[in-house]
Amino acid sequence: MTVLVLGGTGEARELAKELVARGEHVISSLAGRVARPKLPEGEVRVGGFGGPEGLARWLTKNDVTAMVDATHPFAERIGANAVVAARETKTPLLRLARPGWTEQPGDSWRWADDLDHAARLLPGLGERVFLTSGRQGLAAFAGLDDLWFLIRCVDPPEAPIPRRHEILLDRGPYEPAKERGLMERHHIQVLVTKDSGGAMTAAKLTAARELGLPVIVVRRPPRSGTTSVSTVQEALSWLCVTTKGIPA
Ligand code: NAP
């Protein structure tokens, strides 16, 4: 029995760890975007498959029993590829995605449909921006020459990026007090984030609430075509039923 976990998230690593602990053969797949990724337990492969056809071939060649798409909520393409490849090869597919964040009393959030929309919302909300949407898609903010950006990402971003900026290379987990200190030191007036969800990077939202700062939250792109769960335990239960062998 072989389980393919499409990874790049904390949930994917947690699922791999649970499967290894049960003595199952799990292969985690990473895109290879990050220079020094946090590696999951068990077998790991790195790099694209070559579209849905390549993934379908890979599933067949490796005799995959079931596939769990535990990629990031904003990794749209690989999710769509997994749906197509699963259908072609009749491989059971599950989507594992943590829930998005919810606005709380004291928050001042504006929802954006995508990064371009977020960039259009920014002028008027503040001139000093904490941009935490990751290194991809920064071109959306590149024309905003009147604003200054603190850009935080894991690896250095590629041009085009906003002209007036400071880059902070870092990765979670983060703590509210440190996030608040960072925002105060840089005189941040507005925060931009994707609705990534999860506890690892939620501290910035607490800090923004405490500082009374507006937040632009980019909505998740829609994902469809497969059964979806939000916890590792639910994914294990699904694997137990689907494979009739893996203990939940
Ligand atoms: P994407 O746009 O959905 O995928 C682009 C291409 O990268 C895919 O077509 C696929 O290439 C390859 N790919 C993506 N994830 C893969 C995986 N787990 N294993 C093997 N190939 C993969 O993805 P993305 O937004 O660039 O994200 C890349 C990875 O970073 C994802 O695995 C995701 O979990 C992680 N990540 C993304 C974000 C984000 O904000 N997007 C944040 C944190 C982590 P082929 O077509 O050649 O197979």
Side-chain angles (χ1 to χ4, degrees):
M1 203 131 53
T2 297
V3 178
L4 173 65
V5 177
L6 299 173
T9 59
E11 297 75 54
R13 286 190 295 276
E14 206 188 314
L15 178 61
K17 184 178 173 189
E18 291 294 334
L19 289 169
V20 167
R22 286 162 174 75
E24 302 300 336
H25 182 216
V26 53
I27 306 177
S28 295
S29 175
L30 303 179
R33 295 271 190 288
V34 177
R36 284 184 308 283
K38 290 182 188 166
L39 289 176
E41 288 184 25
E43 211 173 309
V44 178
R45 67 161 298 286
V46 181
F49 295 95
E53 307 80 14
L55 177 54
R57 277 195 298 276
W58 196 94
L59 291 171
T60 306
K61 189 172 165 216
N62 291 275
D63 208 9
V64 171
T65 321
M67 169 165 58
V68 180
D69 170 11
T71 55
H72 191 271
F74 283 80
E76 272 181 279
R77 199 132 45 95
I78 187 70
N81 290 356
V83 170
V84 173
R87 198 186 309 130
E88 267 176 30
T89 56
K90 299 191 172 40
T91 306
L93 169 67
L94 179 73
R95 169 79 182 131
L96 166 60
R98 59 193 171 221
W101 288 314
T102 314
E103 198 168 358
Q104 294 183 25
D107 281 335
S108 171
W109 290 9
R110 272 85 169 160
W111 285 92
D113 294 331
D114 52 31
L115 291 175
D116 287 331
H117 187 197
R120 287 199 302 279
L121 290 175
L122 262 182
L125 286 177
E127 286 173 11
R128 297 185 64 86
V129 185
F130 186 18
L131 186 52
T132 64
S133 54
R135 65 199 273 265
Q136 297 187 71
L138 294 180
F141 303 92
L144 298 173
D145 289 345
D146 293 339
L147 310 186
W148 179 90
F149 292 82
L150 176 63
I151 301 172
R152 183 167 68 190
C153 37
V154 176
D155 283 322
E158 285 163 19
I161 62 173
R163 191 168 58 85
R164 299 173 59 223
H165 70 262
E166 181 177 326
I167 291 171
L168 177 60
L169 299 182
D170 202 358
R171 70 180 358 155
Y174 301 107
E175 294 164 25
K178 287 190 180 156
E179 292 289 67
R180 184 177 171 150
L182 179 73
M183 291 189 206
E184 283 177 329
R185 269 198 311 285
H186 288 90
H187 306 288
I188 295 298
Q189 295 169 325
V190 53
L191 166 69
V192 179
T193 179
K194 290 174 172 173
D195 181 19
S196 299
M200 284 227 313
T201 58
K204 59 191 169 189
L205 299 170
T206 309
R209 186 183 313 125
E210 288 172 0
L211 293 168
L213 300 182
V215 181
I216 297 176
V217 184
V218 180
R219 242 181 264 287
R220 294 177 172 198
R223 293 247 200 158
S224 58
T226 186
T227 308
S228 184
V229 296
S230 57
T231 66
V232 168
Q233 190 50 54
E234 287 172 304
L236 288 166
S237 302
W238 178 87
L239 282 167
C240 172
V241 172
T242 306
T243 63
K244 297 185 180 68
I246 294 175

